Amino acid sequence: MKHHRQISILLVFILWSTISGIYAQENQIPKEERLAWFKDAKLGIFIHWGIYSVYGIDESWSFYNGYISYDDYMKQLDGFTAKNYNPDYWAKLIKESGAKYAVITTKHHDGVALWNTNQSELNVVEKTKAKRDLVTPFAEAIRKQELKLGLYYSLLDWSNPNYPNFIKGQKRYESDDAKWNKFVQFNFGQIKELTRFNPDLYWFDGDWEQSAEKWKAKEIRELLLTQNPSTIINSRLQGYGDYSTPEQGVPITVPHNNYWELCMTMNNSWGYQQNDNEYKSVNQIIRIFVDVISMGGNLLLDIGPKADGTIPKEQVDILKVLGTWTTKHEGAIYGTIAGISGDYTTNKTALSKDSSTLYLYVDNRPNGPLLIKGLKNKINRIWVVGNGTKLSYKVVGKQYWSDVPGLLYIELPEHVQDDDVTVIAVLLDGKIDLYGKEGQVIESN
Ligand code: H79
């Protein structure tokens, strides 16, 4: 009798753990909740650090495209020292820029891992003078600054002997299930190792070379979400990610996916390239940033540290000046949502989450008062963000017999204007209410 009871308790337990196991796996936390911090973050810093910084050439692509031989590319292992690597300084600088998260390349397409992986000898601990895991101290430093941690990982690995693709036009094999299965095992091995860092975000790359089925993309997603149900995955997982990642090109219209992030270099390179001095100015970067914010996205701005771990001065300077602007305007950056259509004003705009404050980003010296048309709300107050100056405004041309709102003109004196982008807050009497018609029709047909 007692024995029976024990068995039924055991059965109930097995049933319970199976059911809860299934529920724990996928999407237990709704997407909006899981991606809430990401949606509010607006700025992240991308870090491309690898042996390609030794010669200062394109990360992985330089050998893939045949600009350097594979063997010569790999000679860079000898020059990668990380001698002056100071992750605490990196993290402080990232914090100072106003970014809320950082994404570091744990392994690029060249297959060189920045952590002490057990899956392959091709890692900086075993093959370079750095002789240590570089990801762990980075993760710790990032957490100390209360930033979110993102790990970049290339699904494809052009160095792995079991991976089919090697260099452009040269494959190791066309089809070989045994080899491919070994590679998948290796990939899962490395990804499992990365889960030990418990990142807030996984940034996959290189998914285009294989199908979801071959990568076992669904299983990768399940693995990551089982390990941490609140983690986020970028879109480069053949349909199994959470948010889209336009690369380099600023979107022209608001992307369809409500969650997106533009990744962009400061010059024309992801990694450190001494020869590339074509840096965007801080002014250009800030203007791109507000463009992204106005469409409800994030900017993931890239830096490329040198082989010894120092961050090039040009990049440090950009991060610091950017930080001055983001600090001054924090109220009009974090937690905002996409603004209103360009039909209503020539300025880029964003809205507070409750849609009761409209932010205007003035990225040119205006020729006269700023203009918003079609705004039905009453206005409570208008001021310059980060400066506090109250601005005078006037509603002009409202006709008592028409429901078309008047033209809202806002005076913006020279002395309150920012050198880069001036931000104006328009506090409305409630949720924004825009006139959606063509205008009052007067003529009868
Ligand atoms: O790590 C940086 C780059 O090295 C990597 N992503 C950033 C963050 C990257 N570079 N290029 N790409 C990703 C996309 C490459 C697309 C291409 Fe293709 C691969 C162009 C040609 C081969 C896939 C297949 C897209 C078009 C054809």
Side-chain angles (χ1 to χ4, degrees), residues 114-319:
L114 254 64
W115 80 99
N116 56 343
T117 176
N118 285 327
Q119 303 294 316
S120 152
E121 282 177 7
L122 191 52
N123 63 69
V124 295
V125 188
E126 289 177 63
K127 293 279 179 167
T128 75
K129 295 196 181 79
K131 285 200 171 74
R132 63 194 194 282
D133 164 21
L134 302 172
V135 178
T136 301
F138 178 79
E140 282 167 6
I142 287 294
R143 291 255 152 74
K144 219 186 319 170
Q145 293 298 327
E146 294 180 340
L147 295 163
K148 299 280 186 188
L149 174 69
L151 300 183
Y152 170 108
Y153 178 78
S154 171
L155 290 166
L156 67 82
D157 185 329
W158 291 327
S159 281
N160 191 295
N162 293 313
Y163 188 74
N165 303 45
F166 176 39
I167 54 181
K168 197 158 76 185
Q170 196 178 325
K171 280 189 152 190
R172 293 188 178 89
Y173 61 87
E174 274 305 327
S175 165
D176 183 331
D177 286 351
K179 280 198 169 159
W180 178 254
N181 290 338
K182 269 193 195 163
F183 180 76
V184 169
Q185 218 177 350
F186 158 82
N187 233 8
F188 271 76
Q190 289 207 320
I191 293 168
K192 269 183 204 152
E193 288 178 356
L194 292 181
T195 64
R196 292 206 299 259
F197 299 107
N198 198 25
D200 304 288
L201 189 162
Y202 291 90
W203 213 104
F204 290 109
D205 203 2
D207 68 333
W208 61 82
E209 280 196 350
Q210 314 293 336
S211 63
E213 213 181 349
K214 287 200 91 177
W215 291 126
K216 294 194 186 292
K218 186 169 181 281
E219 289 83 351
I220 293 176
R221 182 183 174 85
E222 276 168 8
L223 167 73
L224 302 180
L225 282 171
T226 304
Q227 190 272 335
N228 176 1
S230 54
T231 202
I232 298 178
I233 304 165
N234 78 335
S235 62
R236 301 191 186 180
L237 190 55
Q238 289 286 17
Y240 287 89
D242 295 312
Y243 72 87
S244 43
T245 52
E247 182 164 324
Q248 298 285 23
V250 184
I252 312 301
T253 54
V254 181
H256 291 300
N257 189 337
N258 190 28
Y259 300 96
W260 64 276
E261 169 201 71
L262 167 70
C263 58
M264 188 182 80
T265 52
M266 287 182 174
N267 50 7
N268 293 319
S269 315
W270 293 101
Y272 172 65
Q273 301 204 17
Q274 190 179 10
N275 204 39
D276 181 353
N277 292 307
E278 287 187 34
Y279 282 94
K280 296 171 186 80
S281 65
V282 177
N283 177 271
Q284 288 169 334
I285 291 171
I286 292 173
R287 290 167 71 174
I288 291 168
F289 183 39
V290 298
D291 196 359
V292 166
I293 293 174
S294 77
M295 292 187 278
N298 290 357
L299 175 65
L300 185 62
L301 184 64
D302 183 70
I303 60 171
K306 297 182 188 179
D308 70 349
T310 54
I311 301 173
K313 185 177 181 306
E314 295 92 329
Q315 301 179 11
V316 173
D317 290 347
I318 288 175
L319 292 180

